[in-house]
Amino acid sequence: MSDKSTARPTHALQRVIIVHGYEAAPDAHWFPWLQNTLEGEGVSVTAVPLPDPDVPETTAWESAVGATLGVPDAGTVIVAHSLGAITALRVLAALPEPWELGGIVLVAGFIEPLESLPELDRYLSTGVDVERLAKSIRTRTVIRSETDPFVPPAASDNLARRLNAQVQVHPEAGQGDKVSGSARRTTVSLRKERRSRLNVRLTSMTAHRACGRTGFRLYSDGLFTTA
């Protein structure tokens, strides 16, 4: 999908908010590497510690994200993983208009109940007006695998379509039990371009652990720009 937002005037990346997902934490997966790398480039990064990640509660999670985000601006980007995606989107939807966000990157994101995760049905029972958010978010990217055992490609594609987001697809990323207990690695390169443009290239191999089951690798090669 095209992302027309990149035609707007550019702004320097100043702040990144990381929102983890179900049964995760700020120090899990590729989150610490992303935070450390961006902070090394002078970007302010906060990984939100969501309460009771094994038993997510809508109000508590949204309150934690909202308190960390505060007032968004063109220099702020949200990176949300798994169940953190709908959480971040709900927080944005509740903001009084007008508001603006530099960008959002949703990794293995979904906004609807999944057959593989029935225990999250209650959390997902309340929807979010995704279409309305697109006009306030400059750059929108959804990263997904075609072999994710928990989040079907169609679920992430539906989110991308409704958000009018760019999709980064990695066909053979998910490998199920074959990579259980494997090491997790993330490489993030941050480079400044002319006219204060900041491109953040996120290349990650993550283990996305859900429901206490085995993890899988997700090779994510996503590009988001605060433009």
Side-chain angles (χ1 to χ4, degrees), residues 115-129:
E115 290 185 6
S116 59
L117 302 171
E119 62 270 42
L120 297 181
D121 285 357
R122 182 176 179 181
Y123 192 97
L124 297 164
S125 62
T126 302
V128 57
D129 188 356

Side-chain angles (χ1 to χ4, degrees), residues 2 22-23 26 31-32 39 56 60 63 65 73 78 80 87 95 102 115-116 120 123 167 193-194 200:
S2 63
Y22 179 46
E23 291 191 334
F31 311 138
E39 287 179 340
S63 295
V65 174
D73 54 40
I78 294 175
T87 305
L95 293 173
E115 290 185 6
S116 59
L120 297 181
Y123 192 97
V167 180
E193 295 184 351
R194 296 178 182 178
V200 178

Side-chain angles (χ1 to χ4, degrees), residues 70-193:
V71 179
D73 54 40
T76 299
V77 167
I78 294 175
V79 179
H81 181 236
S82 186
L83 194 62
I86 188 172
T87 305
L89 293 171
R90 284 173 175 169
V91 169
L92 292 172
L95 293 173
E97 295 184 338
W99 55 269
E100 182 178 34
L101 181 69
I104 192 165
V105 180
L106 305 174
V107 182
F110 56 94
I111 54 175
E112 58 201 45
L114 305 176
E115 290 185 6
S116 59
L117 302 171
E119 62 270 42
L120 297 181
D121 285 357
R122 182 176 179 181
Y123 192 97
L124 297 164
S125 62
T126 302
V128 57
D129 188 356
V130 178
E131 291 83 358
R132 180 172 62 86
L133 301 180
K135 64 182 177 62
S136 299
I137 306 173
R138 288 172 172 262
T139 301
R140 304 166 301 280
T141 301
V142 170
I143 299 173
R144 69 150 173 92
S145 166
E146 289 185 351
T147 50
D148 186 329
F150 304 117
V151 183
S156 291
D157 286 346
N158 178 53
L159 170 57
R161 182 170 53 252
R162 292 183 58 184
L163 192 58
N164 189 24
Q166 198 173 48
V167 180
Q168 299 284 341
V169 180
H170 304 274
E172 301 302 325
Q175 298 176 18
D177 294 347
K178 295 180 182 179
V179 296
S180 177
S182 65
R184 296 183 286 269
R185 172 176 59 85
T186 299
T187 302
V188 183
S189 64
L190 179 69
R191 65 184 184 275
K192 292 186 178 181
E193 295 184 351

